[in-house]
Amino acid sequence: MDWHNPDLMTSVAQKPQAPDQPPRRGFRITSLEVLSILLIVALLGREWLASLIAPDSGQFSATVRTASTVFVAVCAQALPFLVLGVLISASIAAFVPASALRKVLPKRSALAVPVAGAAGIALPGCECASVPVARRLMQRGVAPAVALTFLLAAPAVNPVVIVSTAVAFPNDPEMPLARFLGSLLTAVGMGWLWARFGKLEWIAERALKRLPEKQEGRRWLVFADTARGDLVEAGGFLVLGALVAAVLKVVVPASWMSALGSDVVLGVIVMAVLAVVLALCSEADAFVAAAAYSLPLLPKLVFLVVGPAVDVKLVAMQAGTFGRSFALRFAPLTFVVALLSAIGVGLLVFGGAG
């Protein structure tokens, strides 16, 4: 800045600003407002949008309407819990000092991982909510293995998910227990694997950048700014994942499901893949699994354990939050661990009934 310019000096003198206060900004449309408007239009005008894309009756029109229904359903199910996760993430950034988090968790990652898995019980949310929270924990100095354990445990072992599973399977009381054990084993197992083999360079630098301690008077401003940024970033990848899930939903023929009841191995494989591509919210997926009456309990359990751990929208959000290099390593390994955990727990709990 050229302080010898008299015009500039006059302009600065005429418009003084306090150094400790951010400049006032008038209302302007940002990416958050655009995202909110698009989601509201999609939710309220689903039929109208479908008629614009496919105005004629017929198979194509029915396919478009089915895809639009799936897209809106995925967004509507996940968005409230995404907002919950964003608010928790912003609260951690603004109000929770790094020293407090380090005091609560054990210093050794091997011991902190199961603690983080148990802490997932306290957060009633879906996988969308856990992604921004996990990143904020990393930025507060929590070990990545611990934060990732919480990311996997929170959407699968919380009371809301367990109760919804019990309601969906009233005649199979062992299913909620099997889901809890399989999901907790997946989260803790992945945490221990990452603590042993994971590398920091696999995670994007933006997700590991430490947050400075905030001044007392600016905490609410930090809360608002952090919530806005996290919602726009995570919401965009949620929309992308929901779009992929909608397209895949109409591509998979419904007749294939009837052939899975007689082959448990094939049923396990197909249900694991469907859990990834359908991208259902963890609070609602139990009712979808229970509706597959022809399937044994073991493939249904695989669907319920794999889905909250790895699906298309979650992979997209992880790639946007932690980087593509992270997602390419974390998602396939999570899929394998979740699949093996579900099979092992299912064989133990269900026995011959699985």
Side-chain angles (χ1 to χ4, degrees):
M1 182 177 291
D2 186 5
W3 293 103
H4 299 287
N5 188 329
D7 295 334
L8 180 60
M9 292 294 292
T10 303
S11 176
V12 173
Q14 290 176 350
K15 297 180 180 181
Q17 293 183 3
D20 57 343
Q21 295 181 355
R24 293 185 177 180
R25 295 181 300 177
F27 176 78
R28 60 188 180 91
I29 297 179
T30 64
S31 53
L32 177 59
E33 283 72 28
V34 173
L35 175 63
S36 300
I37 292 173
L38 290 177
L39 288 177
I40 292 174
V41 170
L43 290 172
L44 300 180
R46 178 180 63 84
E47 294 292 338
W48 175 71
L49 291 174
S51 64
L52 286 180
I53 299 174
D56 300 327
S57 59
Q59 183 63 34
F60 178 71
S61 178
T63 300
V64 171
R65 293 178 182 276
T66 301
S68 65
T69 299
V70 173
F71 174 80
V72 172
V74 171
C75 290
Q77 289 175 349
L79 191 58
F81 299 101
L82 174 61
V83 172
L84 173 63
V86 165
L87 294 178
I88 295 175
S89 170
S91 300
I92 293 174
F95 304 112
V96 180
S99 57
L101 294 174
R102 287 192 288 266
K103 289 179 181 179
V104 172
L105 294 170
K107 294 183 179 180
R108 294 183 57 187
S109 295
L111 299 178
V113 162
V115 173
I121 301 174
L123 178 61
C126 71
E127 56 270 24
C128 300
S130 63
V131 173
V133 176
R135 178 177 66 173
R136 199 61 61 199
L137 291 173
M138 291 184 190
Q139 292 177 332
R140 281 303 189 193
V142 175
V146 179
L148 296 176
T149 301
F150 181 83
L151 182 150
L152 295 175
V157 301
N158 68 75
V160 176
V161 170
I162 301 305
V163 170
S164 68
T165 305
V167 172
F169 291 88
N171 299 323
D172 301 297
E174 65 272 25
M175 180 61 84
L177 174 62
R179 181 177 193 178
F180 176 86
L181 294 177
S183 299
L184 186 61
L185 180 60
T186 299
V188 175
M190 280 299 300
W192 280 334
L193 286 174
W194 193 268
R196 177 65 179 86
F197 301 105
K199 298 180 181 180
L200 288 179
E201 54 263 30
W202 294 345
I203 303 177
E205 185 179 354
R206 61 180 180 274
L208 296 173
K209 186 177 180 181
R210 294 292 182 90
L211 295 177
E213 299 293 338
K214 306 302 178 182
Q215 297 178 357
E216 203 62 43
R218 293 175 56 88
R219 291 186 184 273
W220 284 107
L221 179 61
V222 172
F223 175 86
D225 290 343
T226 302
R228 173 187 290 268
D230 285 351
L231 182 59
V232 171
E233 182 176 352
F237 285 99
L238 169 61
V239 171
L240 175 62
L243 181 62
V244 174
V247 173
L248 293 175
K249 171 67 175 179
V250 298
V251 170
V252 178
S255 60
W256 289 6
M257 292 297 296
S258 60
L260 301 179
S262 58
D263 193 332
V264 177
V265 175
L266 181 61
V268 165
I269 297 174
V270 172
M271 291 300 285
V273 175
L274 285 180
V276 175
V277 300
L278 292 182
L280 297 176
C281 183
S282 58
E283 273 74 21
D285 58 359
F287 299 94
V288 176
Y293 301 108
S294 60
L295 290 180
L297 291 178
L298 183 58
K300 296 179 181 180
L301 177 63
V302 169
F303 182 84
L304 297 179
V305 173
V306 172
V310 51
D311 60 40
V312 289
K313 73 175 186 298
L314 183 57
V315 173
M317 293 176 63
Q318 289 176 354
T321 302
F322 303 110
R324 208 176 344 176
S325 178
F326 168 85
L328 290 176
R329 292 174 171 86
F330 189 77
L333 181 59
T334 302
F335 178 83
V336 173
V337 172
L339 180 61
L340 295 178
S341 298
I343 293 175
V345 170
L347 293 175
L348 178 64
V349 175
F350 300 142

